[in-house]
Amino acid sequence: PINNEYQLDIDGVENFDFVDLPNRKLTIIEKTITYEPTNIKEIIKNDTITQTLMPGQGGTSGRALTILIAQDRKGTPCVNEVIYLQMLKDKRVYTARTNKDGKAEFLLPKGKKYMIHFRYKKDVDVIDLSRSFGIGYKSKSVIYTPSDKLQHPEKYIPKPEAIFTDQFFNFINKQFERPKEGEGVIAYARWGGDINANSKQAVLQLTFTSETPPDHTIGPPLNICLVIDKSGSMAGYDRIDKLKLALIEYINKLRPDDIISIIAFDNYQKIVLPAQKVGIDKKQIKDAIERIYADGGTNIYKGLVYGYQEVLKNYRKGLVNRVVLLSDGYGSDDVDSTIFMSKSYNAKGVECSAVGVGNDYNYPMLKSLASSGGGLIHFVGDDDSMTKAFLEDLSSVLVPVAKNVKVEVTYNKHLLFAQLMGYPLEQKSDGKINFKIKNFFSGLDQMAMVKFTLIDPTKDIENIPVTITLRYTDARTNKPIEKITTAPLKWSETTGELEYLLDLDQKKLYATAVMNQSLKVMAEAFQVGDRTSAKAALENCMAEMKKIYPQATEGQVNILMEQMQEYLEILNTIK
């Protein structure tokens, strides 16, 4: 039929070509197609495909000859290294070894994207054949820097300061009322359950909530630079596309007088948007974001330098002067040099926050940048909730509410302090403990749990409440604030032997807190060479989890359980 366009599929190759028939009667259209069939020997084992290419093999109509050149940072060829090309949105993996020149050849189906992995490094870069037509050919150079995490599993045991406790802080019951505008931070305190004469333990949950400014209409003006990792690994799993959608949504929330700049980096850095006021018409900013595409390596150092310089162009006190790094934190640059450079700009008054993208981040690296930069660290995964999570997290780190937050807990003679979970213990004396939270940002919740041993409890314990004193400096008025909350225990004669966590949400929270604390104990023991104590910390915790939370299927609980099991397996394999 005339006046139609037709897709041509040949020998299993979809959309090989097309023909457009005009709206003319009695017309003959002749179409000549160059077709090269694919004849190749492949060994397929499960989802892994190994190919044997003939000398002089070229591309075919359905496949592109793809040559990867692997080198280290100094440009030395990586010889006899296995390369894995994982077809995105598919389980198939193509594998080959590099030759003496660091080259590996593949004959890959066109119309697909492939993530590049090595034995000791995942998500290195992406081969994009989605727009490959005709007799295809593709060549790409990649830098291979083995990951210690994969090459030396024993190094995967984190240092105590790198324990990922954000899962604890983010796992907070949202039933608490958020402070009204101007109220700053509010402390809530509640016990895990009622007690009686048979009770041995009591757990106090402290939740701290901060006010959320509506749509950034309050709070200081922003002078921020978004430093975006656009390396090849960001192309995988649709990370860059989801991130761009989230950024555009975020731009919609900025005010006309806010100052925004955008840097994108791979091996090199590029000023996508020079520092400028957001203004009323945000189309230019959104178009700049749309033009970002992922390819190449990762040099965080260069990206951050340009980001800091853009912020300094409009630096002045009273603004939120901040660089926000969006990356997985893995790069070809030297980590120590990057952190040292970042601190030099922090000393000039420019803060740094980090948003980890994907499901595998260089946590110590991102944590160090954010901690020294006075900002916060947050993570967004690869799932479909990235936009929502990104908006919540990035929005919250930009509006400070309270500084130098200190908490004092005063308790009675029937309580013996046993453990603080969530924060380091700053000071302990008879009947009193103290800890710090540092800074608070809008919309972010924090939580701590205090575990007590009960000493000869009687009903009069209800009349001697625990007192929580919250002290901080209001970040907007710079005035000191003090707030006092009380938490009386409740006596119940009918509870029998105490199950001190009756509420399901309390069980989840307590389980998460205990596991984070055990991970920290494990890390401290391993750091001093005590592998036996490190294993015992994990084994004892997992045994307790079976008692207090036998059905550990909730998201954050399950994540930590799997993490502990992984660390235990590593400890068992270390000789």
Side-chain angles (χ1 to χ4, degrees), residues 403-423:
K403 300 184 294 184
N404 304 319
V405 183
K406 299 177 181 179
V407 181
E408 179 181 280
V409 180
T410 305
Y411 48 94
N412 60 63
K413 62 181 182 180
H414 293 291
L415 297 172
L416 178 65
F417 171 75
Q419 190 178 31
L420 171 66
M421 292 168 280
Y423 295 92

Side-chain angles (χ1 to χ4, degrees), residues 1-17:
I2 60 175
N3 197 27
N4 282 288
E5 183 179 282
Y6 295 89
Q7 173 183 307
L8 303 180
D9 301 341
I10 298 179
D11 196 19
V13 182
E14 295 184 1
N15 202 18
F16 180 80
D17 207 334

Side-chain angles (χ1 to χ4, degrees), residues 140-269:
K140 191 176 188 72
S141 296
V142 294
I143 297 175
Y144 172 42
T145 305
S147 167
D148 275 352
K149 178 179 176 181
L150 299 176
Q151 192 173 21
H152 302 289
E154 68 278 5
K155 295 182 180 180
Y156 180 49
I157 302 294
K159 294 181 179 179
E161 62 271 17
I163 289 295
F164 189 13
T165 56
D166 293 69
Q167 288 152 333
F168 178 35
F169 297 142
N170 292 332
F171 195 49
I172 294 178
N173 193 330
K174 298 299 183 183
Q175 71 184 47
F176 301 101
E177 183 178 352
R178 197 163 292 286
K180 296 182 177 65
E181 182 178 335
E183 287 185 335
V185 180
I186 291 180
Y188 293 94
R190 70 174 187 179
W191 294 94
D194 301 343
I195 67 165
N196 63 19
N198 296 320
S199 300
K200 304 298 181 185
Q201 295 174 311
V203 176
L204 177 65
Q205 175 190 327
L206 301 176
T207 303
F208 307 94
T209 64
S210 60
E211 62 182 89
T212 304
D215 300 324
H216 290 297
T217 56
I218 65 172
L222 308 181
N223 173 25
I224 62 171
C225 181
L226 304 175
V227 179
I228 303 168
D229 181 349
K230 74 171 198 72
S231 62
S233 62
M234 291 291 288
Y237 320 109
D238 298 326
R239 287 176 187 164
I240 195 69
D241 293 330
K242 292 178 180 178
L243 187 57
K244 284 158 65 172
L245 288 173
L247 285 169
I248 289 172
E249 284 295 315
Y250 178 67
I251 295 301
N252 287 332
K253 294 181 176 294
L254 296 181
R255 298 162 295 190
D257 288 336
D258 289 332
I259 299 171
I260 180 76
S261 55
I262 302 174
I263 305 295
F265 68 91
D266 43 43
N267 288 323
Y268 305 95
Q269 69 289 333

Side-chain angles (χ1 to χ4, degrees), residues 68 84-86 88 114-118 121-128 140-143 230-236 266-267 294-298:
L68 286 185
Y84 304 90
L85 300 185
Q86 175 192 355
L88 295 179
Y114 301 84
M115 181 65 77
I116 303 172
H117 306 292
F118 288 83
K121 184 72 173 179
K122 296 181 179 179
D123 295 358
V124 175
D125 208 333
V126 166
I127 293 287
D128 188 354
K140 191 176 188 72
S141 296
V142 294
I143 297 175
K230 74 171 198 72
S231 62
S233 62
M234 291 291 288
D266 43 43
N267 288 323
D295 191 35
T298 310

Side-chain angles (χ1 to χ4, degrees), residues 355-528:
V355 178
V357 181
N359 288 321
D360 182 25
Y361 344 93
N362 187 347
Y363 181 77
M365 158 75 159
L366 297 177
K367 180 69 173 178
S368 295
L369 288 171
S371 296
S372 61
L376 295 182
I377 181 168
H378 291 280
F379 298 97
V380 292
D382 287 328
D383 56 33
D384 293 332
S385 65
M386 177 183 283
T387 300
K388 180 177 181 294
F390 177 83
L391 286 172
E392 290 178 351
D393 289 345
L394 186 54
S395 297
S396 65
V397 302
L398 296 176
V399 183
V401 173
K403 300 184 294 184
N404 304 319
V405 183
K406 299 177 181 179
V407 181
E408 179 181 280
V409 180
T410 305
Y411 48 94
N412 60 63
K413 62 181 182 180
H414 293 291
L415 297 172
L416 178 65
F417 171 75
Q419 190 178 31
L420 171 66
M421 292 168 280
Y423 295 92
L425 182 65
E426 290 287 327
Q427 187 177 4
K428 175 182 173 295
S429 58
D430 289 342
K432 186 183 297 183
I433 63 168
N434 295 273
F435 62 93
K436 297 179 181 178
I437 305 182
K438 295 184 179 178
N439 299 331
F440 247 102
F441 291 79
S442 67
L444 289 186
D445 299 329
Q446 301 289 324
M447 189 187 73
M449 280 193 168
V450 187
K451 187 176 181 180
F452 294 98
T453 299
L454 288 164
I455 304 174
D456 301 326
T458 60
K459 194 175 187 306
D460 68 349
I461 200 172
E462 292 183 321
N463 302 319
I464 321 173
V466 169
T467 301
I468 300 92
T469 304
L470 177 67
R471 299 183 179 94
Y472 62 89
T473 301
D474 190 296
R476 294 156 297 187
T477 65
N478 219 33
K479 294 181 179 179
I481 304 293
E482 179 176 296
K483 297 180 179 179
I484 297 177
T485 304
T486 58
L489 275 160
K490 185 177 180 181
W491 186 269
S492 175
E493 297 287 359
T494 61
T495 55
E497 192 69 27
L498 175 68
E499 172 65 27
Y500 57 81
L501 291 168
L502 303 176
D503 180 79
L504 178 60
D505 285 327
Q506 285 277 36
K507 284 191 177 186
K508 297 175 189 175
L509 291 166
Y510 180 73
T512 307
V514 169
M515 285 189 283
N516 271 293
Q517 185 69 21
S518 298
L519 287 170
K520 184 174 178 64
V521 172
M522 175 272 298
E524 290 172 339
F526 186 80
Q527 191 175 43
V528 298

